[in-house]
Amino acid sequence: MPRKPKKVLIITDFDGTVSTVDLGNEVITKFTTASLNDIERAYVKGKIGSRIAYERIAERLKGSRESMLEHILAKERLDPYFPEFCSLSRDKGIDIKIVSDGLDFYIDAILEKHKLTGIEYYSNRAVFGKDSSLSIKFPSMNDFCARCGTCKSSILKSYRLIYDRIIYIGDGYSDFCPSRYADVVFAKTVLFQRCEREGTPCTLFKDFSEINNYLINNY
Ligand SMILES: [Mg+2]
């Protein structure tokens, strides 16, 4: 009897990965009204997670959705091989989910701009107030840990029952945790350094052309 083909899922980070520019940082740098050095220091040292960092940053953020989107759309640079990655995955019956510890409004705008609106994503949610204030909601938080805004590990684990193989692609701090639970990891920058240090097998990548070659050669 022929073997059932393996069901494969690719989970990818957004900022710094799908978008080569970290758009969360772009918003935060441009629209905060006071220094964030104290929050950044605590986050990078691991003293606080992204959820607390976001709550503190939101108090110092001011701007309308329109002004933030205008800035984002001027700054964004999609990985040039990402659209090909999407069609290649579709042709091979491989599903894609984006997991982001960034904000929904700019992910929507970027996917729409590049006509990639069919991709499901998980992220934090920005709620704009009338007075240019901003609050951030965490629909994909893990209540038991509550460290990250979006718990990428919980999302990955929730797909374990449906998929035989899970490939993870990422670059940053919020990717440390989920990369431990994936079957295959593609990593760059700080994620690559962390995987190397912890002994998590991973492949260094520069852009999605390398992922595309991997899919062509393996599926
Ligand atoms: Mg990232």
Side-chain angles (χ1 to χ4, degrees), residues 8-21:
V8 180
L9 173 65
I10 302 182
I11 297 182
T12 177
D13 168 54
F14 186 79
D15 285 298
T17 305
V18 170
S19 166
T20 60
V21 179

Side-chain angles (χ1 to χ4, degrees), residues 23-164:
L23 297 173
N25 278 348
E26 282 294 332
V27 168
I28 288 167
T29 310
K30 172 94 177 160
F31 292 94
T32 39
T33 51
S35 165
L36 299 172
N37 289 345
D38 53 331
I39 304 173
E40 262 171 31
R41 244 191 331 267
Y43 177 67
V44 169
K45 283 187 176 167
K47 289 187 176 157
I48 58 168
S50 65
R51 185 184 60 83
I52 300 237
Y54 264 128
E55 283 173 353
R56 293 183 188 168
I57 290 166
E59 292 167 5
R60 304 179 201 176
L61 263 180
K62 263 216 167 338
S64 64
R65 175 191 287 265
E66 292 69 30
S67 58
M68 288 189 186
L69 277 180
E70 193 186 337
H71 180 66
I72 284 294
L73 290 169
K75 291 282 179 184
E76 69 94 20
R77 291 287 175 272
L78 194 78
D79 183 302
Y81 304 98
F82 186 70
E84 186 191 338
F85 162 77
C86 294
S87 51
L88 200 55
S89 300
R90 194 171 45 242
D91 292 349
K92 292 182 177 293
I94 295 172
D95 293 338
I96 304 168
K97 315 275 178 201
I98 291 172
V99 289
S100 171
D101 213 7
L103 301 171
D104 59 346
F105 75 101
Y106 65 74
I107 299 176
D108 276 334
I110 303 307
L111 294 180
E112 197 172 310
K113 179 178 172 184
H114 295 281
K115 301 187 172 51
L116 299 165
T117 47
I119 306 172
E120 188 178 11
Y121 75 86
Y122 299 83
S123 76
N124 304 308
R125 197 158 67 82
V127 180
F128 290 88
K130 285 199 183 79
D131 54 351
S132 288
S133 67
L134 190 86
S135 62
I136 298 168
K137 308 281 179 215
F138 307 104
S140 299
M141 184 177 85
N142 173 341
D143 290 329
F144 296 104
C145 171
R147 188 168 172 80
C148 299
T150 298
C151 179
K152 299 180 175 186
S153 295
S154 299
I155 297 162
L156 187 153
K157 288 177 188 170
S158 72
Y159 283 111
R160 272 286 172 211
L161 287 174
I162 310 171
Y163 292 93
D164 303 299

